[in-house]
Amino acid sequence: MPQKVPISQSKRRLRADAPRQPTQSSKDKGFKPNSTVKGNANALTSTLKSQQRLLDIFSSSFPEILQGDIDEVIQTIKGHLYNRDFAKAFGSEEFLQAYAVRWSPTRALGYQQLLSALFEEELKDALAVPTRENTVGNELGGLSLEDEDRTDASGRARGAGLQILCMGGGAGAELVAFAGALSSWLEKHPTQNKSHSVSDAQASSSKETGNPTLSLKLLDIADWATVTKKLFAGITARPEVSEYASTAVKAGSKSLLESGQLDATFEQADILGLSKEQLATLTRDCGLVTLLFTLNELYTTSIPKTTGMLLMLTKVLPPGALLLVVDSPGSYSKVEIGKEKQDAREKKYPMHWLLDHTLLEAAQGDKREVKWRKIQEQESRWFRLYQDLRYPLVLEDMRYQLHFYRRV
């Protein structure tokens, strides 16, 4: 069974080109993530401030690893990844934290860009905090995914907002990205940023007075519990301010999100080893499932098992649920063709072809019932870092492919 762990606990210039307008695929449709802010100085300033804040969360969450000989650790991790020895690459706490501070920050910024666009389009209604009349018994917020007393008659969590499963999401990029996107969304929709009123007795018994707007389940095969706890603490803690800072600066220092606006749980499990019952539990009331830089690794491990997992996901997800897949562009997986091993030959299939074939064709079954509709496809695009961003390590721009589906 998955192992659950609740999560409630000076710099160099980046070497990156200035942002450029990415080339859109001819198949693009749906929400439009855009890394370039044009013609609006205030929007650019806000974007830089938001992205810098996320980078600061990474750097402040792992000071010890950054102050050590991290370059040597990173080279060791690269060697293990090159040899596809994931047990060694993610086999120690030092390696896990080093991976998180080196590779997760760029992905977190790129994911935040995608999610911010998604929040304004496909998910805007799901993000709205429920009214007080619909949250009786849950005014205090701070909802735990394991708190069975705070559910309605159908078993759905009261006032939990949008529930999301991040498959392969243990390294911190998804957690920080969703937090950043939610923070930006709340700034644009200030009426959703107000806590529900509670009585004095209730307020004195709890520090948390708002309902979670997002509820994340972070699922991964490696033990990322400590990494996710540290990052969650950075998300909900006020940044440190110099004792010599002005009163205005001190007063303006606030956490990225308040306690109760985000609920997150890390669960350690092998995605390809989940039973249908386990997957059904993980996706219960789920509005969004993400596979971010994960699916191609699953295909590389086993195409049949990955196909089976996607078909199970189709069966357990409710209509209207969304699936977001992001991965390296041009990803291919090999399949052996031939009944006898001596006659077998390898054939390569693009990752997106395997994905579309499974969801848009195989999932229909014998009755040929449509199960998924593809909302958007981008075969290749760039997320480029702004030069004014600062971080202790050198980070690179991110190139990716994107595939977005809705369960029907």
Side-chain angles (χ1 to χ4, degrees):
M1 290 295 292
Q3 186 178 21
K4 295 186 178 182
V5 182
I7 307 169
S8 54
Q9 320 267 345
S10 120
K11 303 177 181 179
R12 302 178 220 162
R13 183 183 298 273
L14 291 169
R15 295 178 188 170
D17 296 332
R20 297 191 294 272
Q21 179 69 36
T23 301
Q24 296 278 349
S25 164
S26 60
K27 298 181 181 179
D28 288 356
K29 52 187 176 179
F31 72 97
K32 300 293 184 183
N34 186 359
S35 60
T36 305
V37 181
K38 291 184 175 182
N40 190 328
N42 290 333
L44 176 59
T45 300
S46 177
T47 299
L48 286 170
K49 182 179 179 181
S50 174
Q51 292 185 358
Q52 186 62 61
R53 183 62 186 280
L54 300 194
L55 292 179
D56 290 344
I57 288 174
F58 279 100
S59 59
S60 63
S61 297
F62 306 99
E64 294 182 0
I65 196 73
L66 285 169
Q67 293 168 7
D69 191 2
I70 189 170
D71 291 338
E72 182 177 341
V73 176
I74 288 173
Q75 290 304 316
T76 302
I77 295 173
K78 284 183 176 180
H80 293 321
L81 293 175
Y82 180 81
N83 295 325
R84 300 191 58 78
D85 192 341
F86 300 116
K88 289 184 178 178
F90 304 124
S92 72
E93 193 61 46
E94 180 184 31
F95 286 3
L96 291 170
Q97 294 188 24
Y99 183 96
V101 297
R102 172 61 182 84
W103 285 285
S104 293
T106 297
R107 289 184 178 181
L109 300 190
Y111 298 164
Q112 182 202 27
Q113 174 201 103
L114 295 174
L115 296 171
S116 292
L118 193 60
F119 283 1
E120 294 296 337
E121 298 293 336
E122 302 290 341
L123 295 174
K124 61 182 179 180
D125 293 334
L127 285 171
V129 176
T131 62
R132 183 177 176 83
E133 289 75 13
N134 292 331
T135 56
V136 176
N138 192 32
E139 292 91 342
L140 296 182
L143 184 68
S144 166
L145 295 174
E146 298 178 279
D147 193 343
E148 297 179 356
D149 294 329
R150 294 183 179 183
T151 56
D152 60 22
S154 66
R156 184 179 180 86
R158 293 193 185 99
L162 178 63
Q163 302 201 37
I164 301 162
L165 174 63
C166 301
M167 306 183 83
E174 286 90 333
L175 173 60
V176 175
F178 272 106
L182 176 58
S183 177
S184 297
W185 186 85
L186 290 171
E187 288 183 3
K188 294 179 181 179
H189 305 274
T191 57
Q192 296 296 327
N193 204 10
K194 296 179 180 179
S195 302
H196 297 292
S197 59
V198 294
S199 67
D200 292 339
Q202 289 172 326
S204 63
S205 65
S206 174
K207 296 180 180 179
E208 300 170 348
T209 58
N211 290 297
T213 307
L214 286 184
S215 184
L216 300 179
K217 292 181 183 178
L218 308 167
L219 183 69
D220 213 301
I221 193 170
D223 186 3
W224 296 95
T226 299
V227 167
T228 50
K229 281 185 177 181
K230 286 178 176 289
L231 289 171
F232 190 87
I235 289 167
T236 55
R238 290 188 176 187
E240 292 186 4
V241 177
S242 170
E243 59 180 312
Y244 303 107
S246 66
T247 302
V249 171
K250 291 180 179 179
S253 175
K254 61 179 183 178
S255 60
L256 184 67
L257 291 175
E258 296 178 4
S259 181
Q261 291 177 327
L262 175 69
D263 178 52
T265 300
F266 171 72
E267 304 191 20
Q268 185 179 4
D270 180 0
I271 296 172
L272 298 183
L274 294 172
S275 66
K276 182 180 177 181
E277 291 72 22
Q278 289 173 319
L279 193 58
T281 299
L282 287 167
T283 56
R284 177 178 157 187
D285 299 319
C286 200
L288 172 65
V289 175
T290 66
L291 281 160
L292 309 184
F293 283 94
T294 297
L295 184 60
N296 194 58
E297 288 298 334
L298 296 179
Y299 274 132
T300 301
T301 300
S302 173
I303 290 179
K305 288 184 178 180
T306 303
T307 300
M309 181 274 294
L310 291 171
L311 292 176
M312 279 199 301
L313 194 64
T314 301
K315 292 180 180 179
V316 300
L317 281 177
L322 300 169
L323 174 64
L324 177 63
V325 177
V326 170
D327 223 303
S328 301
S331 298
Y332 283 80
S333 292
K334 298 177 182 179
V335 180
E336 284 194 351
I337 307 296
K339 294 183 178 180
E340 301 297 332
K341 189 171 183 179
Q342 62 270 20
D343 299 327
R345 63 187 187 280
E346 286 187 340
K347 186 172 182 179
K348 287 185 176 181
Y349 289 94
M351 186 205 78
H352 67 84
W353 185 90
L354 292 169
L355 179 61
D356 281 349
H357 177 74
T358 300
L359 298 183
L360 305 181
E361 296 183 38
Q364 293 184 7
D366 296 335
K367 296 182 179 180
R368 308 306 296 169
E369 295 178 347
V370 175
K371 301 295 185 181
W372 294 92
R373 295 196 186 279
K374 197 163 194 178
I375 300 173
Q376 185 176 8
E377 177 181 64
Q378 297 183 22
E379 295 177 359
S380 178
R381 66 173 297 121
W382 280 95
F383 170 76
R384 299 188 184 278
L385 295 159
Y386 288 98
Q387 288 182 314
D388 290 339
L389 294 172
R390 296 183 178 277
Y391 192 68
L393 302 176
V394 175
L395 304 176
E396 295 86 18
D397 299 336
M398 182 177 77
R399 184 167 171 253
Y400 62 93
Q401 60 176 304
L402 178 148
H403 306 277
F404 191 38
Y405 305 82
R406 181 188 295 278
R407 179 73 168 85
V408 297

